[in-house]
Amino acid sequence: MEKVLKKSNSFYFKLFASAIFLAAVVAMFVYVNVKGDINHNILSFSCAAACFVLSLLFIRLTAKKILLTLALGVNLVADSFFVLSPNTVSTLVGLCVVCGVQFCFFVYTLTLSKGIGLKIVNIALRVALCLLAYFLLPKYITIGKLEMIAIMYALNCVVTLFVLLFHLKKNFVLFLGLLLLLVSHIFVGLANGGAELLKAGADFIKFLSQHNLAFMLYIPSLLLISFSSVWERQ
Protein backbone atom coordinates (compact mmCIF):
# COMPACT_ATOMS: atom_id res chain seq x y z
CA MET A 1 0.00 0.00 0.00
CA GLU A 2 2.80 2.39 0.90
CA LYS A 3 4.56 1.68 -2.41
CA VAL A 4 1.35 2.40 -4.31
CA LEU A 5 0.97 5.76 -2.54
CA LYS A 6 4.59 6.71 -3.26
CA LYS A 7 4.15 5.80 -6.92
CA SER A 8 0.93 7.82 -7.10
CA ASN A 9 2.55 10.84 -5.44
CA SER A 10 5.51 10.60 -7.83
CA PHE A 11 3.14 10.52 -10.81
CA TYR A 12 1.23 13.60 -9.68
CA PHE A 13 4.45 15.48 -8.92
CA LYS A 14 5.75 14.68 -12.41
CA LEU A 15 2.47 15.83 -13.88
CA PHE A 16 2.49 19.06 -11.86
CA ALA A 17 6.14 19.84 -12.66
CA SER A 18 5.62 19.07 -16.35
CA ALA A 19 2.62 21.41 -16.46
CA ILE A 20 4.52 24.22 -14.70
CA PHE A 21 7.56 23.96 -16.97
CA LEU A 22 5.35 23.64 -20.04
CA ALA A 23 3.48 26.82 -19.09
CA ALA A 24 6.75 28.70 -18.42
CA VAL A 25 8.38 27.65 -21.68
CA VAL A 26 5.26 28.35 -23.72
CA ALA A 27 4.96 31.80 -22.12
CA MET A 28 8.58 32.68 -22.96
CA PHE A 29 8.27 31.11 -26.40
CA VAL A 30 5.13 33.10 -27.27
CA TYR A 31 6.60 36.32 -25.87
CA VAL A 32 9.77 36.25 -27.97
CA ASN A 33 7.73 35.36 -31.06
CA VAL A 34 5.25 38.19 -30.54
CA LYS A 35 8.02 40.65 -29.72
CA GLY A 36 9.99 39.48 -32.74
CA ASP A 37 13.29 39.46 -30.85
CA ILE A 38 14.07 35.78 -31.18
CA ASN A 39 17.73 35.83 -32.11
CA HIS A 40 20.15 36.41 -29.23
CA ASN A 41 17.28 36.93 -26.79
CA ILE A 42 17.99 35.65 -23.29
CA LEU A 43 14.45 34.27 -23.08
CA SER A 44 15.16 32.08 -26.10
CA PHE A 45 18.13 30.65 -24.22
CA SER A 46 15.98 30.32 -21.08
CA CYS A 47 13.52 28.08 -22.94
CA ALA A 48 16.32 25.60 -23.68
CA ALA A 49 17.56 25.90 -20.08
CA ALA A 50 14.09 25.14 -18.69
CA CYS A 51 13.86 21.97 -20.80
CA PHE A 52 17.20 20.79 -19.39
CA VAL A 53 16.18 21.61 -15.80
CA LEU A 54 12.92 19.68 -16.18
CA SER A 55 14.80 16.61 -17.37
CA LEU A 56 17.42 17.02 -14.64
CA LEU A 57 14.72 17.30 -11.99
CA PHE A 58 13.59 13.73 -12.65
CA ILE A 59 16.89 12.12 -13.59
CA ARG A 60 17.48 8.60 -12.32
CA LEU A 61 20.48 6.30 -12.49
CA THR A 62 19.39 4.58 -15.69
CA ALA A 63 21.36 4.78 -18.91
CA LYS A 64 18.43 6.13 -20.92
CA LYS A 65 17.52 8.95 -18.54
CA ILE A 66 21.14 9.97 -18.04
CA LEU A 67 21.79 10.08 -21.78
CA LEU A 68 18.66 12.11 -22.56
CA THR A 69 19.40 14.59 -19.78
CA LEU A 70 23.05 14.80 -20.85
CA ALA A 71 21.98 15.48 -24.44
CA LEU A 72 19.84 18.41 -23.29
CA GLY A 73 22.70 19.68 -21.12
CA VAL A 74 25.22 19.55 -23.97
CA ASN A 75 22.65 21.23 -26.23
CA LEU A 76 22.35 24.04 -23.67
CA VAL A 77 26.13 24.53 -23.70
CA ALA A 78 26.05 24.72 -27.50
CA ASP A 79 23.25 27.28 -27.35
CA SER A 80 25.36 29.45 -25.06
CA PHE A 81 27.83 29.85 -27.94
CA PHE A 82 25.12 30.46 -30.56
CA VAL A 83 22.93 32.84 -28.54
CA LEU A 84 25.06 34.56 -25.90
CA SER A 85 28.26 35.22 -27.85
CA PRO A 86 27.54 34.99 -31.59
CA ASN A 87 30.58 35.26 -33.87
CA THR A 88 32.41 33.07 -36.35
CA VAL A 89 34.61 31.33 -33.78
CA SER A 90 31.80 30.70 -31.27
CA THR A 91 29.60 29.37 -34.07
CA LEU A 92 32.25 26.82 -35.00
CA VAL A 93 32.75 25.83 -31.36
CA GLY A 94 29.00 25.64 -30.81
CA LEU A 95 28.56 23.45 -33.85
CA CYS A 96 31.26 21.07 -32.62
CA VAL A 97 29.64 20.98 -29.17
CA VAL A 98 26.21 20.28 -30.61
CA CYS A 99 27.66 17.20 -32.30
CA GLY A 100 28.01 15.90 -28.75
CA VAL A 101 24.22 15.94 -28.58
CA GLN A 102 24.07 13.47 -31.44
CA PHE A 103 26.74 11.37 -29.76
CA CYS A 104 24.46 11.07 -26.71
CA PHE A 105 21.57 9.98 -28.91
CA PHE A 106 23.89 7.58 -30.75
CA VAL A 107 24.82 5.89 -27.45
CA TYR A 108 21.11 5.92 -26.54
CA THR A 109 20.31 3.92 -29.69
CA LEU A 110 23.03 1.44 -28.76
CA THR A 111 21.23 0.79 -25.45
CA LEU A 112 18.08 -0.04 -27.41
CA SER A 113 19.75 -2.74 -29.53
CA LYS A 114 20.10 -6.03 -27.70
CA GLY A 115 22.28 -7.90 -30.20
CA ILE A 116 25.93 -7.03 -30.89
CA GLY A 117 25.22 -7.35 -34.61
CA LEU A 118 22.66 -4.53 -34.55
CA LYS A 119 25.09 -2.33 -32.63
CA ILE A 120 27.77 -2.93 -35.27
CA VAL A 121 25.33 -2.11 -38.08
CA ASN A 122 24.37 1.11 -36.24
CA ILE A 123 28.02 2.19 -35.98
CA ALA A 124 28.96 1.07 -39.50
CA LEU A 125 26.04 2.93 -41.07
CA ARG A 126 27.03 6.20 -39.37
CA VAL A 127 30.69 5.85 -40.33
CA ALA A 128 29.84 4.95 -43.93
CA LEU A 129 27.48 7.91 -44.41
CA CYS A 130 29.96 10.37 -42.89
CA LEU A 131 32.81 9.07 -45.06
CA LEU A 132 30.67 9.24 -48.20
CA ALA A 133 29.69 12.82 -47.37
CA TYR A 134 33.29 13.80 -46.64
CA PHE A 135 34.75 12.41 -49.84
CA LEU A 136 31.90 12.79 -52.34
CA LEU A 137 30.18 16.10 -51.56
CA PRO A 138 33.25 18.33 -52.24
CA LYS A 139 33.33 16.91 -55.77
CA TYR A 140 29.90 18.34 -56.56
CA ILE A 141 29.50 21.46 -54.38
CA THR A 142 31.79 23.97 -52.72
CA ILE A 143 31.52 23.13 -49.07
CA GLY A 144 33.30 24.59 -46.04
CA LYS A 145 34.20 23.19 -42.64
CA LEU A 146 31.02 24.44 -40.94
CA GLU A 147 28.79 23.01 -43.64
CA MET A 148 30.53 19.62 -43.52
CA ILE A 149 30.15 19.36 -39.74
CA ALA A 150 26.48 20.33 -40.03
CA ILE A 151 25.88 17.68 -42.70
CA MET A 152 27.50 14.96 -40.60
CA TYR A 153 25.37 16.06 -37.65
CA ALA A 154 22.24 15.75 -39.80
CA LEU A 155 23.26 12.33 -41.15
CA ASN A 156 23.76 10.97 -37.63
CA CYS A 157 20.40 12.38 -36.62
CA VAL A 158 18.77 10.60 -39.56
CA VAL A 159 20.33 7.29 -38.49
CA THR A 160 19.15 7.85 -34.91
CA LEU A 161 15.60 8.43 -36.15
CA PHE A 162 15.85 5.30 -38.30
CA VAL A 163 16.86 3.19 -35.28
CA LEU A 164 14.12 4.72 -33.14
CA LEU A 165 11.55 3.61 -35.72
CA PHE A 166 12.18 0.04 -34.60
CA HIS A 167 11.53 1.03 -30.97
CA LEU A 168 8.75 3.50 -31.63
CA LYS A 169 6.31 2.17 -29.05
CA LYS A 170 8.48 3.28 -26.12
CA ASN A 171 10.21 6.17 -27.88
CA PHE A 172 7.47 7.92 -29.86
CA VAL A 173 7.82 11.26 -28.03
CA LEU A 174 11.61 11.19 -28.39
CA PHE A 175 11.27 10.32 -32.08
CA LEU A 176 8.94 13.25 -32.67
CA GLY A 177 11.21 15.60 -30.71
CA LEU A 178 14.30 14.55 -32.67
CA LEU A 179 12.43 14.83 -35.96
CA LEU A 180 11.46 18.43 -35.16
CA LEU A 181 15.03 19.11 -34.01
CA LEU A 182 16.44 17.82 -37.30
CA VAL A 183 14.03 19.90 -39.39
CA SER A 184 14.82 22.94 -37.25
CA HIS A 185 18.57 22.55 -37.84
CA ILE A 186 17.96 22.01 -41.56
CA PHE A 187 16.11 25.33 -41.67
CA VAL A 188 19.00 26.99 -39.81
CA GLY A 189 21.45 25.57 -42.32
CA LEU A 190 19.38 26.67 -45.30
CA ALA A 191 19.04 30.19 -43.93
CA ASN A 192 22.79 30.41 -43.31
CA GLY A 193 24.22 29.50 -46.68
CA GLY A 194 22.77 26.06 -47.28
CA ALA A 195 20.11 27.34 -49.65
CA GLU A 196 22.78 29.03 -51.76
CA LEU A 197 24.76 25.79 -51.97
CA LEU A 198 21.62 24.01 -53.15
CA LYS A 199 20.84 26.86 -55.57
CA ALA A 200 17.56 27.60 -53.81
CA GLY A 201 15.85 30.91 -54.53
CA ALA A 202 16.39 34.08 -52.56
CA ASP A 203 12.67 34.20 -51.79
CA PHE A 204 12.94 30.92 -49.90
CA ILE A 205 15.83 32.21 -47.80
CA LYS A 206 13.87 35.38 -47.05
CA PHE A 207 10.84 33.30 -46.06
CA LEU A 208 12.89 31.23 -43.60
CA SER A 209 14.42 34.34 -42.05
CA GLN A 210 11.19 36.32 -41.76
CA HIS A 211 9.10 33.57 -40.18
CA ASN A 212 11.81 32.10 -37.92
CA LEU A 213 10.67 28.60 -38.76
CA ALA A 214 13.77 27.07 -37.18
CA PHE A 215 12.98 28.54 -33.77
CA MET A 216 9.29 27.67 -34.14
CA LEU A 217 10.31 24.01 -34.24
CA TYR A 218 13.39 24.15 -32.03
CA ILE A 219 11.83 24.88 -28.64
CA PRO A 220 8.94 22.38 -29.09
CA SER A 221 11.54 19.76 -30.04
CA LEU A 222 13.47 20.33 -26.80
CA LEU A 223 10.26 20.17 -24.80
CA LEU A 224 9.36 16.84 -26.33
CA ILE A 225 12.84 15.45 -25.65
CA SER A 226 12.67 16.60 -22.03
CA PHE A 227 9.21 15.03 -21.64
CA SER A 228 10.53 11.80 -23.14
CA SER A 229 13.15 11.77 -20.37
CA VAL A 230 10.70 12.63 -17.58
CA TRP A 231 8.14 10.07 -18.72
CA GLU A 232 10.62 7.54 -20.11
CA ARG A 233 9.20 4.02 -20.17
CA GLN A 234 11.48 1.22 -19.03
Side-chain angles (χ1 to χ4, degrees):
M1 184 64 178
E2 185 177 351
K3 289 183 178 180
V4 174
L5 288 175
K6 285 183 178 179
K7 188 174 182 180
S8 177
N9 290 336
S10 175
F11 171 81
Y12 287 116
F13 180 58
K14 278 186 180 182
L15 192 62
F16 176 75
S18 298
I20 292 296
F21 275 86
L22 175 62
V25 172
V26 169
M28 291 186 289
F29 180 69
V30 171
Y31 178 80
V32 293
N33 275 284
V34 171
K35 189 178 179 182
D37 185 22
I38 290 177
N39 295 325
H40 315 146
N41 189 302
I42 191 63
L43 286 181
S44 302
F45 181 74
S46 298
C47 288
C51 293
F52 168 64
V53 171
L54 175 61
S55 178
L56 187 62
L57 188 63
F58 294 99
I59 192 171
R60 288 189 311 199
L61 295 179
T62 65
K64 293 179 180 179
K65 278 188 172 289
I66 290 173
L67 287 167
L68 291 178
T69 302
L70 184 60
L72 289 168
V74 174
N75 188 79
L76 184 62
V77 174
D79 278 351
S80 68
F81 289 99
F82 294 133
V83 177
L84 302 181
S85 58
N87 56 59
T88 304
V89 175
S90 63
T91 298
L92 176 59
V93 174
L95 191 55
C96 292
V97 173
V98 86
C99 287
V101 177
Q102 280 306 313
F103 180 77
C104 293
F105 290 130
F106 156 59
V107 177
Y108 182 90
T109 59
L110 291 180
T111 67
L112 298 177
S113 303
K114 295 181 179 179
I116 187 66
L118 293 175
K119 289 180 171 63
I120 293 174
V121 170
N122 188 343
I123 296 170
L125 184 57
R126 293 172 189 272
V127 173
L129 288 175
C130 287
L131 288 176
L132 286 173
Y134 183 79
F135 288 108
L136 292 182
L137 286 179
K139 294 182 178 181
Y140 300 98
I141 57 176
T142 303
I143 188 167
K145 186 185 299 182
L146 288 175
E147 291 81 6
M148 182 59 74
I149 295 173
I151 287 172
M152 290 187 177
Y153 170 92
L155 288 173
N156 275 277
C157 191
V158 169
V159 175
T160 295
L161 288 169
F162 176 73
V163 175
L164 288 178
L165 278 175
F166 295 94
H167 307 272
L168 200 57
K169 185 176 181 180
K170 292 185 177 181
N171 294 276
F172 177 74
V173 176
L174 177 60
F175 176 85
L176 185 57
L178 275 175
L179 181 60
L180 292 181
L181 185 65
L182 174 61
V183 176
S184 170
H185 286 314
I186 289 174
F187 283 156
V188 170
L190 290 174
N192 289 277
E196 295 176 3
L197 287 176
L198 298 175
K199 309 300 181 184
D203 290 339
F204 182 60
I205 300 174
K206 185 178 180 181
F207 176 78
L208 290 177
S209 300
Q210 284 182 340
H211 296 279
N212 294 299
L213 293 181
F215 185 77
M216 294 286 189
L217 297 176
Y218 180 62
I219 297 303
S221 74
L222 296 184
L223 262 177
L224 287 171
I225 293 170
S226 66
F227 284 150
S228 72
S229 174
V230 172
W231 298 95
E232 187 259 331
R233 297 169 61 184
Q234 301 297 325

